[in-house]
Amino acid sequence: MSEQNKTETLKMELEALSKNEEFARVAVAVFMARLNPTLEEVDDVKTAVSEAVTNAVIHGYKENGGIIYLEVVADGSRLAITVRDTGIGITDIKQAMEPMYTSDPAGERSGMGFSFMEAFMDQVEVKSAPGEGTAVTMKKKING
Amino acid sequence: MNRPNFTYEAEGWTLIVHLPEELDHHNCTGLKNETDLILSENYIKSIVFDFSKTKFMDSSGIGILLNRYKQMALSGGTVSIYGAGPQALRILKIGGILKLMKIYNSKEAAVKG
């Protein structure tokens, strides 16, 4: 009973390697199990984390590597996840978040990363500036 | 450690692409080049994506499917899907893929078209 209102935090620093996209989403999935989520809620969060981490790898660091800072806070039934990089930053956040917009020159990205984050999380906030990195904070209430 | 990612199979003029368990950016990296190579060396009228092993996908997989769809459409070919589980179907639906491609329950049905 007394555990229900404690705030619990996970902090991880990951190398921005594409192989860590899976590791990051699985780590968050395991951490959020303490909130007794449904399988669908776990899938939702895994997908959102995968999108944010992939953005940091591909866009933030242009696949040249760097460190991704992942912080997950579980507060009661609320989950808050921040994926932060110290990469190139976003010039126009509104444009970046438009469905189908992608800055990928090779044309292989769907431009739907942010749309998926917004579809699966209750709230998505992006703080970024050119040369100052990017922090994406996503929140979701886990009903279980 | 390298897990085998995509495996390919041909039936007549249909290319079947067996997708991996985790269909994300990391695992999608080789797919475009491998498929391009196969398409350049063979006459392919339709591509069938096998999702039966896929337990997770994100928007990276949507990008792959959209590219193949556009490419095949140029030559009048088709792209279809079979074996998609619940997680994949949700992503495919939100990604608008269900409006573009047919979803089948089996390889046989997908190849038959």
Side-chain angles (χ1 to χ4, degrees), chain A residues 12-17 20-21 23-24 53 61 66-70:
Chain A
M12 268 177 25
E13 288 182 21
L14 292 158
E15 288 169 85
L17 301 170
N20 281 332
E21 289 152 12
F23 180 73
V53 172
Y61 293 122
I67 301 291
I68 294 175
Y69 302 87
L70 175 66

Side-chain angles (χ1 to χ4, degrees), chain A residues 1 6 8-9 11 15 24 26 28 42 50 53 55 61 63 74 78 96-97 109-111 113 121 124 131:
Chain A
M1 267 299 267
K6 267 198 328 209
E8 295 171 24
T9 306
K11 279 189 191 177
E15 288 169 85
V26 170
V28 177
V42 175
S50 196
V53 172
N55 276 356
Y61 293 122
E63 306 213 55
R78 287 171 209 282
M97 293 182 76
R109 303 297 302 167
S110 67
M121 303 295 285
V124 176

Side-chain angles (χ1 to χ4, degrees), chain B residues 5-9 16-20 48-50 52-53 82 107:
Chain B
N5 263 348
F6 305 95
T7 58
Y8 304 88
E9 207 185 319
I16 301 160
V17 183
H18 300 285
L19 299 172
V48 171
F49 284 103
D50 170 16
S52 55
K53 289 205 180 65
Y82 78 90
K107 181 170 88 168

Side-chain angles (χ1 to χ4, degrees), chain B residues 38-81:
Chain B
I38 295 173
L39 290 176
S40 69
E41 292 178 349
N42 298 278
Y43 178 63
I44 301 289
K45 267 162 72 168
S46 68
I47 301 181
V48 171
F49 284 103
D50 170 16
F51 275 81
S52 55
K53 289 205 180 65
T54 304
K55 293 192 182 141
F56 174 86
M57 75 174 290
D58 64 12
S59 71
S60 307
I62 302 292
I64 298 276
L65 292 170
L66 284 176
N67 267 328
R68 285 304 150 203
Y69 174 81
K70 284 186 231 171
Q71 188 180 8
M72 292 302 284
L74 287 175
S75 58
T78 60
V79 180
S80 59
I81 289 168

Side-chain angles (χ1 to χ4, degrees), chain A residues 10 23-35 37 42 45-46:
Chain A
L10 162 72
F23 180 73
R25 61 181 183 255
V26 170
V28 177
V30 172
F31 179 76
M32 74 182 277
R34 66 196 62 204
L35 299 181
V42 175
V45 171
K46 277 176 76 177

Side-chain angles (χ1 to χ4, degrees), chain A residues 75-120:
Chain A
D75 184 1
S77 62
R78 287 171 209 282
L79 202 60
I81 302 168
T82 301
V83 178
R84 188 170 61 83
D85 67 70
T86 55
I88 62 169
I90 302 171
T91 312
D92 185 339
I93 296 175
K94 191 151 177 263
Q95 180 187 54
M97 293 182 76
E98 270 166 32
M100 313 293 254
Y101 171 82
T102 179
S103 59
D104 171 38
E108 282 167 50
R109 303 297 302 167
S110 67
M112 291 182 181
F114 279 121
S115 300
F116 277 102
M117 286 182 240
E118 287 180 312
F120 290 133

